[in-house]
């Protein structure tokens, strides 16, 4: 069974940094592109970034480019999101998701709250 | 990276069919057969319902179907049931190799 378990979400002040992690199991991790997607309160889903199977290629939404960095460790079946220069509008439930052109499986999310 | 356009809400009675539209551009929806649809119940993670425009993952009811014409994709739910009441999002691959979602449609079963 595919499992994706996010962790690391906390309350952080504007301008702060945070690192989210996603532990993957139940599939061959390095066979799949991985994504981060967020769901803000009262808003819809927003795709944030992706990383290729070998980690060699990354792509970002304009809203996070230059502030967030996606990475993966294929030896540990883990995905990470380094979030810097956090803004109030980054407050959201952050999901990791597996898939290439679509999001085949999702975790349950990790809540990030940016507040002073 | 503008969000795809979806109606804010769609409603129908049990047993009826409803259709949700998802409009993009030639750089996303219209340019590739990589449109997918997700169902999200409150407090739950999204669930893949349709991928590559009109394919259903194993386990998804055949009451759900997808199509595309030009820059607009559509999700049709036939034989509407109470459990279909949820938020639905479309998503597309883009020419920048990014992905984009629609703003979501709330489906209400009357």
């Amino acid at each position: 069974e595919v499992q994706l378990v996010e962790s690391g979400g906390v309350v952080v002040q504007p301008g702060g940094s945070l690192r989210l992690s996603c532990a993957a199991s139940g599939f061959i991790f390095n066979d799949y592109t991985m994504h981060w997607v967020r769901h803000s309160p009262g808003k819809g889903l927003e795709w944030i970034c992706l990383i290729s199977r070998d980690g060699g290629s990354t792509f970002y939404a304009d809203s996070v480019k230059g502030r967030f960095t996606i990475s993966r460790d294929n030896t540990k079946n883990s995905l990470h999101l380094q979030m810097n220069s956090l803004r109030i509008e980054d407050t959201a439930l952050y999901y990791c998701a597996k898939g290439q052109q679509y999001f085949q499986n999702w975790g349950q999310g990790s809540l990030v709250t940016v507040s002073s | 990276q503008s969000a795809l356009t979806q109606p804010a809400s769609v409603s129908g009675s049990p047993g009826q069919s409803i259709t949700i539209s998802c409009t993009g551009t030639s750089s996303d929806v219209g340019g590739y057969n990589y449109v997918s649809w997700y169902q999200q119940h409150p407090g739950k993670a999204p669930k893949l319902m349709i991928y590559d425009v009109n394919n259903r993952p194993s386990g998804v009811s055949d009451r759900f179907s997808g199509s595309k014409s030009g820059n607009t994709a559509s999700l049709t739910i036939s034989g509407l049931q109470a459990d279909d009441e949820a938020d639905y999002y479309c998503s597309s691959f883009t020419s920048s190799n990014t992905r984009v979602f629609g703003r979501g449609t709330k489906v209400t079963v009357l």
Side-chain angles (χ1 to χ4, degrees):
Chain A
E1 178 193 4
V2 172
Q3 285 202 333
L4 298 168
V5 180
E6 302 91 341
S7 62
V10 292
V11 179
V12 61
Q13 291 190 336
S17 296
L18 194 57
R19 188 185 194 221
L20 300 183
S21 296
C22 172
S25 60
F27 64 101
I28 300 174
F29 185 65
N30 59 12
D31 274 356
Y32 290 90
T33 294
M34 296 294 295
H35 305 258
W36 287 99
V37 176
R38 67 186 179 186
H39 192 178
S40 305
K43 297 183 182 180
L45 298 174
E46 181 186 11
W47 176 85
I48 298 173
C49 55
L50 72 82
I51 187 166
S52 60
R53 290 174 291 177
D54 65 358
S57 296
T58 57
F59 294 87
Y60 297 89
D62 289 343
S63 59
V64 305
K65 196 176 295 182
R67 300 188 299 123
F68 290 11
T69 302
I70 188 173
S71 62
R72 66 191 297 163
D73 185 339
N74 286 344
T75 66
K76 295 182 179 178
N77 291 353
S78 61
L79 177 72
H80 305 284
L81 183 66
Q82 178 65 41
M83 310 164 68
N84 297 333
S85 303
L86 282 161
R87 304 167 179 167
I88 291 176
E89 55 265 35
D90 294 320
T91 294
L93 186 63
Y94 285 73
Y95 295 101
C96 65
K98 155 186 170 279
Q100 179 62 26
Q101 311 304 351
Y102 53 90
F103 311 103
Q104 196 172 15
N105 301 92
W106 300 66
Q108 287 304 304
S110 183
L111 183 62
V112 173
T113 302
V114 184
S115 174
S116 55
Chain B
Q1 292 181 348
S2 299
L4 306 175
T5 300
Q6 296 183 233
S9 62
V10 173
S11 61
S13 299
Q16 286 187 330
S17 293
I18 61 169
T19 297
I20 303 168
S21 61
C22 169
T23 301
T25 69
S26 58
S27 295
D28 39 62
V29 174
Y32 309 92
N33 288 325
Y34 292 137
V35 175
S36 52
W37 290 90
Y38 303 86
Q39 177 192 64
Q40 187 176 32
H41 286 110
K44 299 293 187 181
K47 175 186 176 183
L48 176 67
M49 305 302 284
I50 295 287
Y51 66 94
D52 295 351
V53 176
N54 57 11
N55 291 280
R56 271 187 314 276
S58 174
V60 171
S61 170
D62 60 4
R63 298 185 299 104
F64 292 84
S65 62
S67 62
K68 191 185 85 166
S69 177
N71 294 340
T72 298
S74 299
L75 174 71
T76 297
I77 309 174
S78 58
L80 201 61
Q81 299 179 357
D83 190 53
D84 298 334
E85 186 161 293
D87 293 327
Y88 290 82
Y89 295 89
C90 61
S91 178
S92 176
F93 174 86
T94 81
S95 58
S96 303
N97 202 8
T98 60
R99 311 294 184 268
V100 62
F101 282 98
R103 298 193 184 279
T105 297
K106 182 177 180 60
V107 168
T108 301
V109 180
L110 301 170

